[in-house]
Amino acid sequence: MGEFSEKKATCGTVCLKYLLFTYNCCFWLAGLAVMAVGVWTLALKSDYISLLASGTYLATAYILVVAGIVVMVTGVLGCCATFKERRNLLRLYFILLLIIFLLEIIAGVLAYVYYQQLNTELKENLKDTMTKQYHQPGHEGVTSAVDKLQQEFHCCGSNNSQDWRDSEWIRSDEAGGRVVPDSCCKTVVAGCGQRDHASNIYKVEGGCITKLETFIQEHLRVIGAVGIGIACVQVFGMIFTCCLYRSLKLEHY
């Protein structure tokens, strides 16, 4: 009877080992995906970060990058802990899973909270940022972001093209008689911003605030979904780890 129980325990341990190993392979790939989303945000979708007053959007991207790297390292550690049957490594693996779980929950919550606050932030700050910092010394990032925003989304100004009347640069001699930046023009050529007729600039298309809000909200949904989704998957990893740890403990005794 004792021999049967021992074989049963050993069989259960082997099954748990291969289950956890399979999980770790998938988990490593998930970590790669999480890191890719974070890098994607920082490298390709960060052009408009300088237009945002809050650093929450950037923080969520950095959290995903860090979480992705830790996930990949943890996946390798999990494989080693599984096949070497080292309980101390399993403990460390569980702790890392818990840390990653919390990081990704934080990223998901931050994305959700910022999603709710984005409209208010843009209404309060975008016009001032565009009119007070555009083409001003030390704000080259804002100038580049505004030009790209207006060209990419076919818009002009925060609410409409009239916003540029309050621009410090437009009212200066440096503007060269422009009434809007050249990036408001449908066909950009030097000095085209001197004429603000609807046939020349994005006048009837409206301002950029709604289009920027939609763009960022869509990306925040991706960040939030990835963070919360991977965190939910990790719950299974923690359960498998606890079961294997308990099984190894029983066999030890």
Side-chain angles (χ1 to χ4, degrees):
M1 186 73 177
E3 184 181 349
F4 175 76
S5 299
E6 185 179 343
K7 286 182 179 178
K8 187 177 179 181
T10 304
C11 182
T13 301
V14 170
C15 289
L16 280 171
K17 280 171 61 177
Y18 281 102
L19 191 61
L20 193 56
F21 177 78
T22 303
Y23 170 83
N24 277 307
C25 290
C26 297
F27 192 51
W28 189 90
L29 292 173
L32 185 63
V34 169
M35 186 178 70
V37 170
V39 171
W40 176 62
T41 302
L42 295 173
L44 301 177
K45 301 295 178 181
S46 62
D47 302 293
Y48 308 125
I49 287 175
S50 57
L51 301 178
L52 304 175
S54 170
T56 308
Y57 181 69
L58 191 61
T60 56
Y62 277 119
I63 288 174
L64 284 184
V65 171
V66 171
I69 292 170
V70 177
V71 163
M72 293 173 73
V73 172
T74 303
V76 174
L77 176 64
C79 291
C80 295
T82 301
F83 280 99
K84 289 189 175 182
E85 298 185 3
R86 297 283 296 275
R87 286 185 294 156
N88 56 340
L89 285 178
L90 282 173
R91 280 196 295 267
L92 178 60
Y93 175 67
F94 180 86
I95 291 169
L96 287 174
L97 277 181
L98 186 60
I99 291 171
I100 298 163
F101 176 80
L102 294 174
L103 278 175
E104 287 172 347
I105 289 293
I106 289 170
V109 170
L110 281 176
Y112 176 77
V113 170
Y114 191 52
Y115 183 94
Q116 304 298 318
Q117 297 174 345
L118 184 61
N119 180 267
T120 303
E121 179 185 313
L122 289 177
K123 283 181 178 178
E124 290 177 352
N125 299 292
L126 185 60
K127 181 182 175 181
D128 282 348
T129 300
M130 293 175 78
T131 57
K132 293 180 180 178
Q133 297 182 18
Y134 185 78
H135 263 301
Q136 298 303 306
H139 295 292
E140 290 77 11
V142 171
T143 302
S144 175
V146 169
D147 286 338
K148 183 172 182 179
L149 175 67
Q150 295 188 142
Q151 276 296 294
E152 190 170 314
F153 292 108
H154 297 172
C155 55
C156 186
S158 176
N159 299 296
N160 52 61
S161 60
Q162 301 300 313
D163 290 342
W164 286 111
R165 292 181 177 180
D166 300 323
S167 169
E168 295 180 7
W169 178 71
I170 290 293
R171 290 185 294 187
S172 70
D173 293 334
E174 293 179 9
R178 292 176 178 84
V179 289
V180 294
D182 290 344
S183 56
C184 280
C185 299
K186 294 178 179 179
T187 303
V188 178
V189 293
C192 65
Q194 293 174 351
R195 194 168 69 92
D196 64 350
H197 191 271
S199 63
N200 183 50
I201 69 168
Y202 296 114
K203 193 168 187 176
V204 297
E205 288 81 0
C208 299
I209 188 168
T210 303
K211 297 177 180 181
L212 179 60
E213 180 184 359
T214 301
F215 171 83
I216 294 175
Q217 283 182 337
E218 286 175 354
H219 200 221
L220 285 172
R221 279 197 289 268
V222 172
I223 292 175
V226 168
I228 300 296
I230 299 299
C232 291
V233 171
Q234 285 176 235
V235 173
F236 293 101
M238 288 188 279
I239 292 171
F240 294 152
T241 304
C242 288
C243 291
L244 181 58
Y245 182 86
R246 184 172 178 274
S247 179
L248 291 174
K249 190 174 181 180
L250 289 172
E251 285 186 11
H252 180 72
Y253 290 113

